[in-house]
Amino acid sequence: MRINENPVTREKLAHYADLMVRKKEIEAELDELKKDFNDYFDSSVGKQGKGEIIIGEYKLQRQIRKTEKYAQEATVTRLEELNLHELIQKKPDEGKIKSALNLGLLKKEDLDGCVSTIYSQAISVKQTIS
C-alpha cells in the first residue's frame, strides 16, 4: 500500500453499500427461485427425491444430502447400558461408534431411537453445451 493512498474512500463506501443492497435483493430473488425449483421437485419426485430436468441449454438438478447425528443423551445412556464406555466422551464419539458398527462390536439396532436424520436440499443450475 502506498503511504499517501487511503484505501477507504467515500466512493468505495458508497459502492460497498450499494453492492450490499443489491446482494440482499439478489439473494432474496435466488431464494424465491430455489423455493420454486424445490416445489417443482417436491411435486414431481417427492420431498426427499433427487431430480433433474433439462430445458434448452440448462440442466436443473436437485440433490439430497443426508446427515445423521446421534442424540447425545439417548446414545450415551444406551452405550452405558451396553457397557461400551470407551465409545463415550462428553458426547457420543461418532467416529468410534461408526468404527464399532463396522467391526461388529455394536449393532445398528442397538442404537435405535438414538440417531436423528436430517435431509437438506441443494439446487444447482449449469449451462450445458448445445
Side-chain angles (χ1 to χ4, degrees), residues 79-90:
L79 291 170
E80 287 173 343
E81 290 168 358
L82 295 167
N83 224 11
L84 294 169
H85 299 280
E86 64 275 6
L87 302 180
I88 303 170
Q89 295 179 339
K90 292 219 177 216

Side-chain angles (χ1 to χ4, degrees), residues 25-37:
E25 291 168 353
I26 289 169
E27 285 176 344
E29 193 172 342
L30 285 170
D31 287 344
E32 265 309 302
L33 290 169
K34 286 180 190 175
K35 182 185 178 314
D36 290 346
F37 298 154

Side-chain angles (χ1 to χ4, degrees), residues 5-129:
E5 185 180 313
N6 185 350
V8 180
T9 64
R10 182 189 181 290
E11 291 77 21
K12 285 183 179 179
L13 291 173
H15 184 59
Y16 182 87
D18 180 53
L19 289 174
M20 289 302 290
V21 168
R22 290 182 8 214
K23 176 184 175 190
K24 288 178 185 175
E25 291 168 353
I26 289 169
E27 285 176 344
E29 193 172 342
L30 285 170
D31 287 344
E32 265 309 302
L33 290 169
K34 286 180 190 175
K35 182 185 178 314
D36 290 346
F37 298 154
N38 278 313
D39 287 347
Y40 164 78
F41 284 122
D42 287 349
S43 66
S44 64
V45 296
K47 285 213 179 272
Q48 268 114 39
K50 293 180 183 180
E52 175 178 304
I53 183 173
I54 297 172
I55 300 174
E57 69 273 17
Y58 293 98
K59 175 168 64 171
L60 173 65
Q61 290 180 305
R62 178 169 77 175
Q63 301 170 343
I64 301 297
R65 296 184 185 118
K66 178 180 176 181
T67 306
E68 291 184 339
K69 295 205 176 240
Y70 293 95
Q72 188 168 338
E73 284 186 40
T75 305
V76 168
T77 301
R78 186 72 46 85
L79 291 170
E80 287 173 343
E81 290 168 358
L82 295 167
N83 224 11
L84 294 169
H85 299 280
E86 64 275 6
L87 302 180
I88 303 170
Q89 295 179 339
K90 292 219 177 216
K91 60 181 184 175
D93 187 327
E94 293 186 22
K96 287 183 179 180
I97 291 171
K98 286 181 181 180
S99 294
L101 286 166
N102 290 336
L103 293 171
L105 301 173
L106 186 62
K107 296 181 198 132
K108 193 169 182 158
E109 304 81 55
D110 292 334
L111 297 175
D112 280 349
C114 295
V115 179
S116 65
T117 302
I118 299 169
Y119 293 92
S120 61
Q121 302 167 333
I123 294 289
S124 75
V125 176
K126 298 175 189 165
Q127 188 168 10
T128 59
I129 299 172

